Amino acid sequence: MRKLCGCILVVLVFSFIFPACTKETFEKEKCMENMDSTKDKRFEQNQDADKNTIRIISTSDIHGKMLAYDYALDVADTSGSLAQVSSAIKEYRNDNTILVDVGDTIQDNFADLFQNEEIHPMALGMNAIGYDICTTGNHEYNFGMDTVKRYINAVEAKVLLGNVWDENGKALADAYTIYEINGCRIAFIGMVTQNIAKWDKANLDGYQIKNPADETNKIIDEIENDVKNKKIEPVDLYVGVFHMMRNDEYDVENSGFESMAKACPRLNVILGSHGHVLENGICDNDIYVTENLANGKSIQIIDITFDDLSKAKPAKIIDISSKAVETASYPEDEKIKKLLLPYDKQAKEYARTKVGTLVGSALAPEEEIKGINPMFVEDTALQSLIQEAMCYYAKADVAISAPCTGSENMLPGDLTIANICRIYKFANMLDSVKMSGDQLKTYLEWTASFYQQYEKGDLTIAFEDKPVYLFDTATGVNFDIDISEPVGSRIKNLSYPDKTPISDDDTFVVAVCNYRYNTSISVPGVIFEKDNMPELIDSDIRGDLGDVRFLLIDYIKNVKGGIINSECNVNWRIIGNDWDENQHKKAVELINNGTIPLVEGQKGNPSVKKVTVEDIAKY
């Protein structure tokens, strides 16, 4: 029998010390350990429920992937989806199972089409699957607080959210709940990373985003008192449902679940998310942690076994084990598919709506080196188009943006909404800032640190092992990036389009996306020092049209009259790589035929190792 007990307090955790466990179950490592449980008989499909075991199945970061289809690309994609997740859950759910989602549900894959629906299709699907508990992710806040509240009201699962408080000092949802199943009382706590205050600053104006560790520990003390005073029965397990990745972001303490484990030692289990990687293992203070892949590509199954589940005192945990199940091999649940087909049809029709026509050639050239996006090494008409639209709507002199496309391109012919979404993937809003000439150069030096320094004998360009989305290009000014120079001294010949040099005290209106402003430009110490910060002019520019993708759609359709071409102003270039062209061509040939492989970085960077004269001399 299940009993769901909602509570009004902010967060719950009760002190519990892990008992001595088998070495096979817990390895005392301070860092995470990936654990392969695929051969563990405890996770056989349709396993009967054990009288002293409870099972938690968790999902996260499904990002609008309701069915096995990528609407932005307008192609089938069976790598994962809510419908496939449902099939996997059916295989592993037993009578002692609690189903939990850890947020980032209604953003991406055209999920924003349905933000004004009373019940979002993702909430509809989750209700049909029968989730018990969920929390919000950071992306739920992209669309304003009305959307967040609508989602919370639409989901039939118990929504937990303990660190987001409204203008009246009231939490958006209960912070914790006590779930009783199979004689076990489990306290679930819901928190979201406090970095939502950076990413969606405008949407959260007037709201308080509290430190999740502080709020958790306050409630721990209150609950311990309640147990001591016999106001509530003992709790056997304490589970953090935390929408945050393993590591703190932007050095914001307790924005990652690893630091939460250090700060909240009385937790037993943390269900993490946000980082889109598989995690199974032990964190600080013997707290067990898991995390899922994105887009419905996996579910996590955690089994917790107790010695005795009498209610007189907290039960001893004698075993915790987990398994990640990837969903690509699972078919779509026909019940979920049928339920969501009307929304699927609407999303496909929308994706195929014609916006305009591209005449001439493709907007980005072919890769010189397979696997390296041309936009990382040269100016392209594709980036020029995006930045031109940003300048137009922000009434800006300069536009700065990152290559958001992966390896996508825009080819001649009819352009659909899906085409546009392929070249600008993220739902970023448009902001504008005031920068001096000195600040603009500082910014460009920051982005030029993306490149490794060129040295004599190098035959290819390589990049520092940092996320590719931290590399920006700019339009509206001309400049060279001299990669033979050290970081901080690379921007040369910074000038206006008419070649007039830019002075330090010149001023510019610069168009940027809200993500870059909130996480880099407005944060002291990332690019600019506290006493030299650019001034925010405007945010959420033309929010009536939508994010940058929809500004771009409007720009092509209504400003350009539906016709664009492959013109590129080529306002920046890389210099300083004075290699021998014939040797460079040989290096490119050896890479492209597979003789010399590219070395990819751990953070998604396509190439972090240069090919040298010595390398090609071997062939």
Side-chain angles (χ1 to χ4, degrees):
M1 189 177 99
R2 305 180 181 195
K3 183 169 67 176
L4 195 62
C5 307
C7 302
I8 301 174
L9 297 175
V10 184
V11 170
L12 158 69
V13 174
F14 176 72
S15 177
F16 185 89
I17 305 300
F18 272 106
C21 301
T22 61
K23 184 177 181 181
E24 290 76 19
T25 306
F26 293 150
E27 293 186 7
K28 306 295 184 180
E29 297 285 347
K30 290 301 180 185
C31 61
M32 305 297 179
E33 295 289 346
N34 287 328
M35 186 173 71
D36 182 5
S37 301
T38 55
K39 297 181 181 179
D40 195 331
K41 291 186 180 296
R42 291 172 293 186
F43 294 101
E44 287 181 350
Q45 295 172 345
N46 295 319
Q47 172 185 281
D48 291 335
D50 185 275
K51 66 178 182 179
N52 287 331
T53 297
I54 63 102
R55 172 169 288 182
I56 299 171
I57 298 179
S58 72
T59 63
S60 69
D61 301 288
I62 300 180
H63 285 290
K65 193 78 182 301
M66 54 184 180
L67 299 182
Y69 204 88
D70 188 324
Y71 299 112
L73 302 181
D74 197 16
V75 294
D77 178 5
T78 60
S79 62
S81 64
L82 184 65
Q84 291 167 279
V85 160
S86 181
S87 294
I89 288 169
K90 284 183 176 179
E91 294 283 5
Y92 288 94
R93 197 178 213 164
N94 60 34
D95 290 340
N96 296 343
T97 297
I98 308 100
L99 180 57
V100 183
D101 184 76
V102 199
D104 271 6
T105 305
I106 59 170
Q107 176 268 344
D108 205 4
N109 205 39
F110 286 179
D112 52 315
L113 278 177
F114 312 107
Q115 299 302 351
N116 293 323
E117 297 278 349
E118 196 63 31
I119 299 181
H120 193 283
M122 289 296 292
L124 195 65
M126 290 173 66
N127 292 345
I129 293 169
Y131 277 80
D132 300 301
I133 290 165
C134 68
T135 191
T136 64
N138 60 289
H139 280 293
E140 264 69 76
Y141 299 86
N142 291 168
F143 311 101
M145 298 312 294
D146 287 345
T147 297
V148 177
K149 293 172 184 176
R150 191 179 301 113
Y151 173 68
I152 288 173
N153 290 331
V155 175
E156 293 174 359
K158 181 69 177 178
V159 180
L160 303 178
L161 184 62
N163 65 322
V164 182
W165 294 44
D166 65 19
E167 305 97 321
N168 301 314
K170 182 181 178 182
L172 285 187
D174 288 345
Y176 77 93
T177 194
I178 298 174
Y179 200 105
E180 187 171 328
I181 186 170
N182 197 26
C184 178
R185 286 170 56 82
I186 310 159
F188 287 92
I189 307 146
M191 294 282 174
V192 65
T193 170
Q194 60 268 52
N195 285 318
I196 59 172
K198 296 177 181 292
W199 298 319
D200 285 290
K201 192 174 183 179
N203 291 339
L204 288 157
D205 185 34
Y207 283 73
Q208 287 181 287
I209 314 302
K210 300 194 174 187
N211 185 306
D214 291 346
E215 296 304 309
T216 296
N217 285 321
K218 286 178 187 176
I219 298 303
I220 292 173
D221 297 336
E222 292 185 25
I223 296 304
E224 286 182 339
N225 277 333
D226 284 347
V227 173
K228 182 179 179 180
N229 295 324
K230 301 187 183 302
K231 292 182 179 179
I232 63 171
E233 294 174 338
V235 175
D236 303 299
L237 189 73
Y238 300 87
V239 180
V241 185
F242 295 160
H243 190 86
M244 52 186 73
M245 63 193 295
R246 176 180 172 181
N247 298 319
D248 290 340
E249 295 182 277
Y250 316 112
D251 295 322
V252 175
E253 191 174 14
N254 303 324
S255 65
F257 62 69
E258 193 165 43
S259 63
M260 284 290 287
K262 293 177 182 177
C264 305
R266 291 170 283 186
L267 290 167
N268 300 132
V269 175
I270 292 176
L271 308 179
S273 58
H274 185 58
H276 301 176
V277 297
L278 290 178
E279 297 273 15
N280 299 76
I282 303 300
C283 202
D284 284 85
N285 294 312
D286 285 340
I287 296 171
Y288 205 91
V289 298
T290 65
E291 185 180 346
N292 274 299
L293 299 171
N295 304 116
K297 292 179 181 178
S298 72
I299 65 173
Q300 288 278 8
I301 305 166
I302 309 173
D303 280 358
I304 303 103
T305 302
F306 304 86
D307 64 341
D308 179 30
L309 285 169
S310 67
K311 293 186 177 181
K313 61 180 181 179
K316 274 190 174 183
I317 300 170
I318 61 173
D319 184 67
I320 299 183
S321 50
S322 73
K323 174 184 178 180
V325 175
E326 298 192 32
T327 62
S329 62
Y330 284 84
E332 293 175 293
D333 182 332
E334 287 300 321
K335 175 185 173 183
I336 303 302
K337 186 174 181 179
K338 182 178 180 180
L339 181 68
L340 300 180
L341 274 177
Y343 303 96
D344 170 81
K345 180 181 178 182
Q346 186 177 341
K348 287 175 180 174
E349 289 175 351
Y350 180 75
R352 295 163 189 169
T353 302
K354 182 179 175 180
V355 174
T357 303
L358 170 62
V359 296
S361 58
L363 289 189
E366 292 185 7
E367 299 172 339
E368 181 192 28
I369 296 177
K370 292 178 182 178
I372 297 181
N373 189 327
M375 287 187 286
F376 294 152
V377 293
E378 63 179 301
D379 198 6
T380 67
L382 196 154
Q383 279 292 76
S384 291
L385 174 65
I386 294 168
Q387 292 165 349
E388 186 180 308
M390 292 172 69
C391 278
Y392 176 84
Y393 290 103
K395 297 180 173 57
D397 308 301
V398 176
I400 291 170
S401 66
C404 297
T405 67
S407 59
E408 296 300 328
N409 202 346
M410 189 178 284
L411 304 177
D414 288 346
L415 304 177
T416 64
I417 287 174
N419 295 139
I420 308 303
C421 291
R422 290 185 190 120
I423 69 165
Y424 196 98
K425 182 179 179 182
F426 301 107
N428 297 324
M429 301 303 291
L430 182 64
D431 291 355
S432 62
V433 297
K434 180 181 178 181
M435 283 190 191
S436 66
D438 178 63
Q439 288 171 330
L440 180 59
K441 186 173 182 181
T442 297
Y443 191 101
L444 295 173
E445 289 286 3
W446 174 77
T447 191
S449 67
F450 181 68
Y451 299 101
Q452 292 184 21
Q453 188 169 353
Y454 173 81
E455 297 174 342
K456 188 174 178 60
D458 292 345
L459 295 177
T460 62
I461 293 170
F463 315 107
E464 297 294 343
D465 191 11
K466 59 176 68 175
V468 295
Y469 58 76
L470 292 181
F471 171 65
D472 286 338
T473 63
T475 195
V477 292
N478 293 350
F479 58 96
D480 297 327
I481 302 173
D482 189 344
I483 60 173
S484 69
E485 295 283 356
V487 170
S489 302
R490 293 180 172 176
I491 300 302
K492 311 291 185 183
N493 306 316
L494 182 60
S495 66
Y496 291 93
D498 66 0
K499 310 301 183 184
T500 302
I502 289 173
S503 301
D504 287 350
D505 56 358
D506 290 348
T507 59
F508 301 87
V509 175
V510 181
V512 296
C513 74
N514 68 324
Y515 178 86
R516 183 65 81 237
Y517 176 75
N518 290 332
T519 61
S520 302
I521 295 173
S522 67
V523 181
V526 177
I527 303 175
F528 304 100
E529 296 307 315
K530 189 175 182 179
D531 59 352
N532 187 36
M533 305 289 290
E535 174 189 342
L536 178 65
I537 299 172
D538 200 1
S539 60
D540 290 348
I541 297 168
R542 291 307 308 271
D544 57 313
L545 294 175
D547 59 56
V548 172
R549 295 173 302 175
F550 293 94
L551 298 184
L552 187 54
I553 290 166
D554 184 76
Y555 184 73
I556 293 170
K557 185 176 180 180
N558 296 319
V559 178
K560 303 295 287 185
I563 304 294
I564 59 171
N565 56 43
S566 52
E567 291 179 354
C568 177
N569 53 23
V570 192
N571 63 290
W572 68 272
R573 59 178 183 151
I574 292 174
I575 63 172
N577 51 326
D578 57 347
W579 52 52
D580 179 273
E581 279 300 322
N582 289 328
Q583 290 183 312
H584 169 70
K585 289 178 182 178
K586 182 178 178 182
V588 170
E589 181 182 353
L590 290 169
I591 295 169
N592 287 344
N593 67 24
T595 302
I596 298 178
L598 290 178
V599 178
E600 295 183 3
Q602 294 183 353
K603 298 181 179 179
N605 212 294
S607 178
V608 295
K609 186 177 185 300
K610 294 175 283 189
V611 175
T612 67
V613 171
E614 290 182 358
D615 292 328
I616 69 168
K618 302 173 186 176
Y619 303 98

